[in-house]
Amino acid sequence: MREEAKELDPATEFRQLYDQQYLSVYRSIRGVVLEPAAAEDLTQETFVRAYRARHRYTPTAPPGAWLRRIGINLAISYLRRQKLARVLPARLYTPPDRRDYDRAEARDVVTKALATLSPKLRAAIVLHYYDGLTREEIAAVLGVPAGTVASRIAKAVAIMRKSLGSDQDLGPERSNSEGALRGR
Amino acid sequence: MKVPYVDDKPTQGGFGTPSDDDLGRMIRNTVESWRPRRGPDWSGVLIRIANSGPPAWLLYTAASAALVVILLAAFLVGSALQIGALGPQPVPSNLH
């Protein structure tokens, strides 16, 4: 797992674990809920839940994966409660600032593409591409079989590629941003 | 929707469609650009822990134990005072 130089013991080094894992847990949660404020709130709640359960942590998985499991489950429950998934695409997209057009557009396009996925597909995609977890590790985090993870990733990739492809086919005026979008 | 299994190896995208490598890079770049406005706030976590009630499992256990005690007490009181169905039942006189 990225950004995990040393595995800390949640029971005795929780404060250090908080500082070490805060940003990556926040990003994983934001990848599911896609809302900055909600992601911050859920990240804090993740650490509250983890703190209470720190003595029940068993080192079968790294503490980072354990925290992500709590966080992703909280995020999915949050979306289920709020029924946000249905209205996310409409609420998310705001036109980028012209000054940072190329840089910002690539990110907005990806966020828009992520918003077309269901929360469970987003979780699999973010854990795979951002956290760099293997399918087995994602399966442990999400509590589903590795085969389910593989099919979720494949499905999410297919949807995102289609979504990003259609965004890139909009016309010649966007050809400059294609380079940024493709990372070339 | 049934989709084929996708291996970790990058595949080449078609016209206008990013390859798997590009897609992974785009997702990583996007996610790494996300930064919390407030940042880590350990005191906020401690305040939440202090303000939150007991954990759910403790609440449910205590509620279940209280229910058992109430039912047991009601049974004992009912038996002692011979209330309702816990009192002596009339024996039908035509049974011999």
Side-chain angles (χ1 to χ4, degrees):
Chain A
M1 187 175 298
R2 283 138 54 88
E3 295 178 20
E4 198 153 32
K6 179 194 168 202
E7 280 192 10
L8 298 165
D9 180 9
T12 56
E13 300 168 299
F14 196 86
R15 175 67 209 275
Q16 293 93 313
L17 186 67
Y18 175 77
D19 289 333
Q20 185 193 65
Q21 294 289 329
Y22 180 87
L23 189 59
S24 57
V25 170
Y26 165 79
R27 286 171 174 166
S28 300
I29 290 175
R30 185 165 165 186
V32 178
V33 297
L34 297 177
E35 281 195 354
E40 282 194 50
D41 186 54
L42 290 167
T43 305
Q44 289 290 82
E45 189 58 31
T46 298
F47 282 98
V48 169
R49 303 263 178 119
Y51 184 82
R52 283 203 196 119
R54 67 193 188 284
H55 293 297
R56 295 200 297 276
Y57 166 76
T58 48
T60 49
W66 174 64
L67 288 167
R68 271 164 195 75
R69 180 172 193 152
I70 298 172
I72 297 280
N73 285 335
L74 270 177
I76 290 173
S77 302
Y78 166 81
L79 286 180
R80 200 175 286 141
R81 274 200 316 274
Q82 303 290 318
K83 298 190 187 302
L84 268 176
R86 282 182 296 184
V87 291
L88 267 173
R91 292 178 56 177
L92 266 174
Y93 185 69
T94 51
D97 188 337
R98 295 294 304 181
R99 287 169 297 185
D100 306 319
Y101 194 78
D102 279 352
R103 189 161 48 87
E105 191 200 27
R107 290 205 290 264
D108 285 350
V109 164
V110 173
T111 309
K112 261 173 71 182
L114 279 170
T116 61
L117 305 175
S118 72
K120 285 179 180 176
L121 295 186
R122 281 202 294 272
I125 276 285
V126 170
L127 290 172
H128 181 61
Y129 284 112
Y130 167 63
D131 289 307
L133 301 188
T134 64
R135 292 192 176 113
E136 286 70 27
E137 287 169 330
I138 297 171
V141 170
L142 299 179
V144 295
T148 305
V149 172
S151 71
R152 281 185 189 177
I153 291 172
K155 189 174 175 179
V157 165
I159 295 170
M160 283 192 77
R161 288 181 73 192
K162 193 178 168 189
S163 169
L164 291 166
S166 65
D167 262 352
Q168 289 178 60
D169 290 339
L170 287 179
E173 71 275 9
R174 296 184 68 171
S175 59
N176 285 343
S177 62
E178 265 189 40
L181 213 137
R182 286 169 158 263
R184 284 173 185 161
Chain B
M1 184 175 84
K2 191 166 176 63
V3 291
Y5 177 83
V6 175
D7 200 69
D8 278 333
K9 290 174 191 165
T11 57
Q12 201 61 41
F15 178 75
T17 308
S19 69
D20 284 1
D21 256 359
D22 287 339
L23 182 65
R25 192 163 42 243
M26 287 159 69
I27 292 169
R28 260 194 312 280
N29 289 342
T30 300
V31 174
E32 280 169 3
S33 74
W34 291 340
R35 299 215 160 260
R37 273 170 295 187
R38 285 171 297 184
D41 178 15
W42 176 245
S43 59
V45 172
L46 292 179
I47 289 168
R48 279 183 189 229
I49 292 168
N51 290 344
S52 58
W57 66 268
L58 188 63
L59 207 63
Y60 294 142
T61 306
S64 304
L67 187 63
V68 168
V69 168
I70 289 167
L71 290 174
L72 196 64
F75 175 76
L76 292 175
V77 169
S79 303
L81 300 178
Q82 300 187 343
I83 296 170
L86 295 173
Q89 301 299 308
V91 181
S93 57
N94 58 343
L95 289 178
H96 292 288

